[in-house]
Amino acid sequence: MPRVPKVSPLTDPAPVEDAISLMSEVFALVGSTKDSQQMLKGACRLLAAGRPWELAWVGIVDPNGRIQPIAQAGLRDKDLGSISLAWDSDSSGEAIAPTAARESLPQVMTDLKEDRRPEPWRTQALARGCRAAAAFPLRFGENVLGVLSLYAPSSDAFGTAELSVLQGLTDHLAHGLGRLQAEEQRAKRMREFEVIRSLTSQMISRPDHSTLLHTVVEEATDLLEGACGGMYLSEPEEQVVRCLVSYPTPPDYTGAVLRYGEGAAGLVAQTGQGMIIPDYPQWPGRSDLLQEGAPLQSLLTVPMTLQGRVIGVIEIWRTAEQPPFTRADLDLLTLFANQAAVALENARLIEWTASERQRVQLLYDVTQALTRSLDPAEILQRAIALTTDSIGAMFGEAFLLERSTGRLRLRVLAGRDPVEIPEIESRLSARQGKGLVGWIAKTRQPALVDDVTTDDRWEEVGGVEGIHTALGAPVLAGNDLLGVIMLFHRDRAAFHDEHLHLLTAIARQVGLALSNAERFQQTRRRLAEMSAIQQVGQVINRRLEMQPLLEEVVHQVGEVLGYPVVEILLVDGQELTVRASRGSKYEVPHRIPLSEGLVGRAARTNEPAYAPDIRLDPDYVNALPDTQAEIVVPLRERGVVFGVMNVESPEAGSLTEDDLRLLSLLADQISVAIENAALYDHLRQHADELEQTVAERTSLLAEALEQARQADRIKSQFVSDVSHELRTPLSNIRLYLDLLTQGKPDRFSNYVDTLTRETERLMRLIEDLLAISRLDAGATPLTSTPLDLNDLARTLVQDRQRLFAARGLVLQFQPQAALPPILADEHMLSQVVANLLTNAMQYTPMGTVTISTASMCQDDRTWTTLTVADTGLGIPLEEQPRLFERFFRGANSHTVRAPGTGLGLAICKEILDRHGGKISLESQVGRGSAFTLWLPACEGPPVAPSAHDGIEG
Ligand code: ADP
């Protein structure tokens, strides 16, 4: 039972009845009304209408311990609008309403004029004609929900009975209010839950993390009827919270960072406890973030907790004009924040999964794109374009390491105009180790820079303003740096670790693709080289002669391989001779000392001379004014240099190591071709000689054949001649033998003479035939002894003296004194001289036959000669060449009917041939003939003249 103060007893029954009817009206009101505000207003109206009280108001106790009037009736309705009564703490707390609420007991002021307590409003109440007042606590269980205050125009308006009735009425009202409030609270909760539920479902259906963050803040601000709101996310590693959403803007706190414990958000993140700060500007823990003069007053901050972890903080602000935050607001926002935490986590997971899928897709796309090309520039272009687009970068850059200079050259731009490359290059000094790109190249580490403007490594090159985030990764092949890929974003911290990992993975793929491409280019280059070498080789191998070959070589090397200047120089003693040239100013052959120039060095050292930039080679001798680069490769045979091939170009750097390798390979092939050509030249010379020899031999053979044929003809003629010569004497012999039997006896002696002559002729013929056949067969060996021709001749002359005399002929001998002896077969030589004497006798009808000897010099030799000269018929000139043929008989033989075989002179010649001598003839028809034997004189003392020397005959 509520405590009721002791009041004066009810004396007048009328007011009691009135009170009872009032009570029943209030009961009816409480039973029928669903809205607490409406119920309290209705109650005030019932209390103020026609009652002794002309003013009734109800105040509700707020969570801050103040009593806020929410319903009134009587006097002028607005009169109490601004009244706010505290429970205690100030003078207004002494008023009866707070006292009633505080003490949970009705309070009465029987006469405002007398009772001095309820200052300061008592004077105003008196001015409005009030004399008495009473306040009744709205008691609901242990709680006082509010206060009902009644003002009456007359003092002593509240009797004990009235007070009792009114307190009963107030209690009833309080019950109604409590029930309705609970109802309303429940409905409000339901509404809040509904709001949260719908928000949560909305949030969950929103996969985009960033949008969701904004949605959460907007919805929370609306839900809590705040002026503005914000969200911070925790970064536990750094022990900071970072403002990601600020709503509405301005003011914009996005990007603001607070340490744990700093400001309200930092404190909440640290403690995990939500808090209400009714007067933030005066709050000692406030941060400097809140702008000066901002109209914000109270702050509600709660953690977003997920599985015991504070993942962030939501804060809602209200202005001074807005009601302060309550515990219920705190609970509501906490509930909401935790729902939001789940939704955010889900969104993050969804987004992570989605972005992970996207990343995998991107990586796949990049890999696909890369495998479709083998051109390094195209590979970079595709990778950068795809990545820039997919990651949402402002633009991307790809650098390639230039090995010769160590420079990182900008090769590809995505998201910007490629014509800017030279311009950017000129401003950029992206050597290894310089700038952010250089740092990545040097350390081989990827880099993620949230704000380049605060990064020491960043080099401002100008031309691109407003870059904040930079993301870069090295392009590696194994440990070799190939280049660097960079992505840029206008916003701060636009990229995360995932992007860094992704770019690193892409860079790895690019590295693979680039090294594959390089390998492919190498293979293709090798193939091209091989086919060029093959092509050149095929053509030059068709050339066999040296000079055409050398000319073909320079032509092919220049034409097929595209070198503007090509020369072939061959070593010639201490010089090199330009033997073939193309595009050179030198006339062939031009001579260069072995000691000079790159050509000389290559020939001397047996090593290629390579000058990609001739200005840097001290050995270079300026020959062609345009030359900037030169390669000289030695030509060798079995390791020994016999020449060089020289290639020059008017473009510096245009002759590369590849050219050097190609030309070296080619040099081997050219060397072989030149070697073959030399061999061919040699062989051809040899063949010419051989041909000549063969021709000579052939003519000799033809001659021999002709001789053989001649011999054959002579032999046939010989056989026929022999047959003929044999037949003639034999026929005669048969004829005369017949005559011996049948002829006249007186002629028998003639017959016998003829028979004897023919027989002798036959015998001579047979002897001659035997002699010549023995000579032919070589059956008669020479028995050479030193001979004195004078002795031999003298003997024969003596033997024939008588015979010659018998024919009326003079035979004389004229030997030369001191005649050099000869080496000869005496018998054979006697036969020769005897033959000559017989012929001289037969063909000299009358006159003299002279034998003479002499010593003669001819053909640097000493000859001993013997001449048989006659004064006979002589021999016609036309017969002379045939005189020594076998069986040849001159016309004169028939004239003088000389017996003979035509073999005599042939036998003489044969015998002299076998002695290394010769026989010569001088003859004139009608004047005689002289046959001279020539025999080589022996070394040794001349034969002393004998007693017979002198004219003999
Ligand atoms: P033959 O005397 O048996 O006829 P040879 O061989 O001795 O054969 O001589 C060949 C020919 O040479 C003779 O037939 C003759 O015509 C000529 N002849 C040789 N000796 C003389 C000579 N002293 N004077 C002239 N003619 C000669």
Side-chain angles (χ1 to χ4, degrees):
M1 274 295 287
R3 288 176 292 149
V4 178
K6 272 185 81 74
V7 289
S8 53
L10 196 64
T11 49
D12 185 359
V16 174
E17 281 167 23
D18 199 27
I20 290 168
S21 91
L22 177 66
M23 199 170 230
S24 67
E25 279 174 77
V26 169
F27 276 28
L29 176 72
V30 170
S32 63
T33 315
K34 297 276 180 255
D35 180 77
S36 60
Q37 186 91 21
Q38 225 181 331
M39 183 191 77
L40 294 175
K41 274 193 172 156
C44 288
R45 262 199 302 275
L46 287 173
L47 286 164
R51 311 285 170 203
W53 319 293
E54 48 191 5
L55 169 63
W57 66 270
V58 176
I60 295 296
V61 176
D62 76 11
N64 302 320
R66 298 187 79 83
I67 294 169
Q68 299 287 346
I70 61 164
Q72 71 166 55
L75 289 179
R76 282 178 302 278
D77 280 353
K78 300 284 178 212
D79 280 356
L80 293 171
S82 63
I83 287 181
S84 169
L85 299 169
W87 285 85
D88 42 29
S89 78
D90 64 17
S91 57
S92 66
E94 292 169 18
I96 51 169
T99 310
R102 207 164 47 238
E103 293 181 5
S104 197
L105 284 173
Q107 301 293 319
V108 179
M109 287 179 75
T110 46
D111 190 347
L112 292 180
K113 280 186 178 167
E114 302 296 318
D115 197 332
R116 302 233 163 232
R117 277 183 300 167
E119 291 288 358
W121 51 270
R122 189 174 57 91
T123 327
Q124 288 178 27
L126 281 173
R128 288 192 175 102
C130 297
R131 282 296 299 275
F136 305 92
L138 283 157
R139 296 178 297 210
F140 185 67
E142 292 298 301
N143 299 321
V144 175
L145 303 178
V147 179
L148 168 66
S149 291
L150 295 174
Y151 288 78
S154 55
S155 58
D156 298 323
F158 301 100
T160 311
E162 277 116 341
L163 283 177
S164 174
V165 169
L166 284 171
Q167 184 58 53
L169 184 144
T170 306
D171 286 343
H172 190 74
L173 202 56
H175 267 95
L177 179 64
R179 186 175 48 79
L180 282 180
Q181 270 189 346
E183 190 67 26
E184 279 167 6
Q185 198 65 32
R186 201 177 57 82
K188 190 175 173 231
R189 268 292 155 92
M190 284 302 289
R191 273 201 313 280
E192 287 170 355
F193 279 130
E194 183 51 36
V195 168
I196 288 171
R197 196 195 58 75
S198 88
L199 281 183
T200 308
S201 73
Q202 270 182 44
M203 289 188 295
I204 286 171
S205 66
R206 226 179 282 269
D208 173 10
H209 190 252
S210 158
T211 314
L212 181 62
L213 291 177
H214 284 89
T215 308
V216 165
V217 176
E218 283 170 28
E219 298 290 358
T221 310
D222 288 353
L223 184 67
L224 273 298
E225 292 164 356
C228 61
M231 183 193 283
Y232 291 77
L233 285 188
S234 304
E235 294 177 11
E237 297 88 18
E238 308 294 324
Q239 294 277 295
V240 294
V241 287
R242 186 187 299 275
C243 180
L244 291 187
V245 182
S246 185
Y247 167 83
T249 48
D252 186 1
Y253 298 109
T254 312
V257 176
L258 292 171
R259 288 189 310 280
Y260 277 15
E262 187 187 1
L267 196 60
V268 170
Q270 192 178 41
T271 61
Q273 297 296 320
M275 57 195 286
I276 294 169
I277 301 168
D279 189 359
Y280 189 86
Q282 299 303 318
W283 184 53
R286 70 183 179 276
S287 74
D288 301 334
L289 277 179
L290 188 65
Q291 284 174 357
E292 201 65 46
L296 301 177
Q297 175 79 27
S298 55
L299 174 66
L300 172 61
T301 313
V302 296
M304 292 194 288
T305 311
L306 188 78
Q307 292 162 345
R309 275 185 306 118
V310 176
I311 65 160
V313 174
I314 298 180
E315 59 177 28
I316 307 290
W317 294 85
R318 281 184 185 165
T319 60
E321 281 75 45
Q322 290 177 296
F325 289 107
T326 63
R327 177 78 216 174
D329 292 331
L330 181 72
D331 293 344
L332 179 62
L333 190 60
T334 304
L335 183 68
F336 179 82
N338 291 338
Q339 297 282 336
V342 173
L344 279 178
E345 179 66 4
N346 286 348
R348 202 184 65 78
L349 273 173
I350 289 169
E351 199 164 272
W352 184 81
T353 313
S355 61
E356 191 69 4
R357 204 185 60 233
Q358 272 172 7
R359 279 196 290 276
V360 171
Q361 182 66 40
L362 175 59
L363 200 55
Y364 175 79
D365 289 348
V366 168
T367 310
Q368 286 293 308
L370 298 190
T371 52
R372 279 201 292 277
S373 176
L374 285 163
D375 174 39
E378 203 177 322
I379 286 171
L380 285 177
Q381 181 67 57
R382 286 181 178 176
I384 283 289
L386 262 171
T387 314
T388 306
D389 197 38
S390 304
I391 288 188
M394 181 183 170
F395 69 93
E397 295 175 343
F399 297 83
L400 273 186
L401 179 67
E402 193 176 65
R403 290 216 176 86
S404 53
T405 59
R407 277 178 70 87
L408 282 160
R409 305 291 303 269
L410 179 62
R411 283 296 162 85
V412 172
L413 273 179
R416 295 186 67 180
D417 193 347
V419 296
E420 294 175 37
I421 289 182
E423 196 189 321
I424 300 174
E425 274 254 277
S426 71
R427 289 197 295 258
L428 209 65
S429 50
R431 270 176 187 280
Q432 286 200 49
K434 284 190 86 179
L436 182 59
V437 177
W439 182 89
I440 293 169
K442 191 178 167 191
T443 60
R444 312 270 202 274
Q445 296 291 322
L448 169 57
V449 180
D450 285 341
D451 189 349
V452 290
T453 58
T454 59
D455 194 289
D456 292 345
R457 296 167 294 184
W458 181 246
E459 276 193 334
E460 189 62 61
V461 290
V464 191
E465 272 70 45
I467 296 173
H468 281 104
T469 311
L471 184 62
V475 178
L476 301 167
N479 274 335
D480 285 352
L481 181 82
L482 303 181
V484 173
I485 295 180
M486 298 294 301
L487 296 178
F488 299 100
H489 204 286
R490 190 173 279 116
D491 297 345
R492 281 186 190 83
F495 298 131
H496 310 299
D497 282 350
E498 287 84 359
H499 295 115
L500 189 68
H501 296 149
L502 179 62
L503 190 67
T504 309
I506 287 172
R508 258 199 306 270
Q509 287 295 337
V510 171
L512 267 179
L514 285 180
S515 58
N516 281 346
E518 194 176 315
R519 228 168 283 145
F520 172 78
Q521 303 287 12
Q522 265 177 10
T523 313
R524 195 164 64 174
R525 208 160 44 228
R526 289 267 155 81
L527 263 175
E529 283 174 10
M530 292 325 289
S531 69
I533 289 174
Q534 204 179 9
Q535 192 183 338
V536 172
Q538 262 176 5
V539 176
I540 62 175
N541 283 336
R542 277 188 226 128
R543 294 281 179 192
L544 279 172
E545 298 91 349
M546 184 64 86
Q547 193 53 36
L549 167 73
L550 298 179
E551 277 156 21
E552 189 70 66
V553 166
V554 293
H555 174 74
Q556 287 295 324
V557 173
E559 194 70 21
V560 177
L561 305 179
Y563 297 120
V565 177
V566 186
E567 293 172 340
I568 295 280
L569 300 93
L570 296 187
V571 175
D572 188 3
Q574 286 306 302
E575 289 178 328
L576 279 164
T577 308
V578 180
R579 289 286 301 270
S581 74
R582 184 178 191 272
S584 158
K585 70 167 188 180
Y586 288 135
E587 290 290 318
V588 173
H590 174 85
R591 292 172 180 284
I592 299 168
L594 260 180
S595 54
E596 251 182 38
L598 295 180
V599 284
R601 189 173 80 202
R604 285 193 315 274
T605 59
N606 197 354
E607 290 290 338
Y610 174 42
D613 183 350
I614 45 103
R615 288 168 303 177
L616 306 175
D617 198 311
D619 283 344
Y620 177 73
V621 175
N622 192 359
L624 291 173
D626 292 339
T627 294
Q628 298 291 331
E630 184 173 3
I631 292 179
V632 188
V633 287
L635 303 171
R636 324 175 171 98
E637 185 188 355
R638 281 186 279 277
V640 179
V641 179
F642 65 79
V644 294
M645 175 160 66
N646 179 37
V647 169
E648 297 179 24
S649 166
E651 242 177 277
S654 60
L655 297 179
T656 63
E657 303 250 345
D658 290 333
D659 294 295
L660 176 63
R661 198 182 55 251
L662 176 65
L663 288 169
S664 298
L665 283 173
L666 208 52
D668 293 343
Q669 191 153 4
I670 292 168
S671 297
V672 172
I674 292 179
E675 217 175 301
N676 287 344
L679 202 64
Y680 175 77
D681 275 2
H682 183 71
L683 279 177
R684 205 181 51 179
Q685 200 182 337
H686 191 67
D688 286 351
E689 285 170 12
L690 207 66
E691 206 172 319
Q692 203 179 336
T693 313
V694 167
E696 282 169 10
R697 293 280 156 83
T698 308
S699 89
L700 283 178
L701 275 175
E703 218 172 288
L705 183 66
E706 188 47 41
Q707 281 175 353
R709 283 201 187 117
Q710 182 68 16
D712 198 46
R713 271 198 306 275
I714 290 170
K715 195 174 152 194
S716 306
Q717 184 64 42
F718 178 77
V719 170
S720 105
D721 286 353
V722 166
S723 312
H724 175 74
E725 294 302 328
L726 285 172
R727 193 175 295 127
T728 310
L730 279 174
S731 305
N732 277 343
I733 287 168
R734 215 167 79 191
L735 175 68
Y736 281 94
L737 282 175
D738 286 347
L739 281 173
L740 277 178
T741 53
Q742 295 160 19
K744 294 173 184 166
D746 58 326
R747 304 212 46 152
F748 271 18
S749 65
N750 280 347
Y751 297 155
V752 171
D753 285 349
T754 301
L755 276 170
T756 308
R757 204 172 51 242
E758 288 302 328
T759 307
E760 275 175 5
R761 186 178 163 193
L762 194 59
M763 280 183 63
R764 197 164 58 235
L765 182 61
I766 287 166
E767 266 168 32
D768 283 352
L769 279 172
L770 283 172
I772 205 151
S773 82
R774 272 200 299 271
L775 284 170
D776 277 350
T780 318
L782 281 185
T783 315
S784 294
T785 51
L787 278 185
D788 181 3
L789 266 187
N790 284 341
D791 287 350
L792 186 136
R794 187 176 297 114
T795 311
L796 279 169
V797 168
Q798 281 171 0
D799 288 352
R800 296 290 174 101
Q801 208 59 258
R802 205 176 302 272
L803 192 61
F804 272 71
R807 287 193 165 230
L809 294 172
V810 177
L811 174 63
Q812 57 184 20
F813 177 42
Q814 292 174 355
Q816 181 187 294
L819 189 68
I822 54 163
L823 254 185
D825 186 313
E826 189 177 6
H827 175 72
M828 284 190 189
L829 221 51
S830 298
Q831 199 180 339
V832 170
V833 179
N835 265 349
L836 292 178
L837 280 174
T838 305
N839 280 351
M841 187 183 74
Q842 280 181 334
Y843 298 104
T844 309
M846 53 183 201
T848 308
V849 174
T850 309
I851 293 184
S852 59
T853 57
S855 172
M856 311 273 273
C857 268
Q858 200 182 58
D859 304 332
D860 295 334
R861 299 181 65 174
T862 308
W863 301 89
T864 301
T865 63
L866 182 149
T867 304
V868 178
D870 63 55
T871 55
L873 297 171
I875 303 159
L877 213 58
E878 68 274 9
E879 284 184 3
Q880 287 181 18
R882 300 194 56 197
L883 226 52
F884 299 94
E885 287 177 16
R886 291 175 186 187
F887 299 109
F888 179 81
R889 304 203 70 194
N892 56 13
S893 66
H894 306 293
T895 313
V896 295
R897 293 171 60 90
T901 60
L903 288 170
L905 287 178
I907 292 169
C908 292
K909 184 178 181 299
E910 195 70 28
I911 290 172
L912 280 164
D913 283 347
R914 292 192 61 181
H915 280 83
K918 58 186 180 180
I919 182 163
S920 63
L921 162 69
E922 279 177 50
S923 179
Q924 267 189 318
V925 176
R927 301 194 68 166
S929 308
F931 289 87
T932 304
L933 312 180
W934 298 72
L935 287 154
C938 269
E939 300 297 319
V943 180
S946 71
H948 299 286
D949 286 352
I951 308 241
E952 296 175 28

